[in-house]
């Protein structure tokens, strides 16, 4: 199965991240927290895996939703996965 950077970019955008797909390399993208431009992550396709610029493996094709979750967390994007406790 081939990597799908456009599909991953769409999943990241749904989580509120700003995403730029590489102009010369369609196999890479940059995700950023829209409130803090210093919080960014460069993601590339390496063989049949998504990896960060420091070589951290994010996941494999077909699992873009899980990959997006792994990218969003360190970029300080909260993701609601279920009911939250109600505070007065």
């Amino acid at each position: 199965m081939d990597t799908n950077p456009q599909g991953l970019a769409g999943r990241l955008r749904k989580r509120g991240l700003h995403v730029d797909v590489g102009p010369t390399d369609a196999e890479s993208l940059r995700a950023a927290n829209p409130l803090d431009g210093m919080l960014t992550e460069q993601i590339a396709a390496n063989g049949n895996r998504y990896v960060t610029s420091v070589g951290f493996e994010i996941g494999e094709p077909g699992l873009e939703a899980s990959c997006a979750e792994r990218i969003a967390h360190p970029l300080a994007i909260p993701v609601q996965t279920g009911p939250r406790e109600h505070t007065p």
Side-chain angles (χ1 to χ4, degrees), residues 1 18 23 34 39 49-51 53 56 60 62 66 70 77 86:
M1 185 177 286
H18 176 77
L39 293 172
R49 301 279 188 197
Y50 296 110
V51 295
S53 58
F56 180 72
E60 60 189 51
S66 296
R70 288 185 197 103
I77 298 294
H86 219 32

Side-chain angles (χ1 to χ4, degrees), residues 6-81:
Q6 292 296 332
L8 180 56
R11 296 286 187 159
L12 292 167
R13 287 183 184 111
K14 285 182 181 180
R15 284 172 170 74
L17 290 165
H18 176 77
V19 181
D20 293 317
V21 177
T24 58
D25 183 5
E27 293 296 310
S28 71
L29 56 90
R30 179 180 166 271
N33 182 314
L35 301 176
D36 185 347
M38 298 296 291
L39 293 172
T40 65
E41 189 63 74
Q42 188 75 27
I43 308 299
N46 183 3
N48 201 27
R49 301 279 188 197
Y50 296 110
V51 295
T52 67
S53 58
V54 295
F56 180 72
E57 187 175 299
I58 297 298
E60 60 189 51
L63 301 174
E64 279 75 15
S66 296
C67 294
E69 178 70 25
R70 288 185 197 103
I71 296 164
H73 182 72
L75 295 179
I77 298 294
V79 177
Q80 184 159 348
T81 58

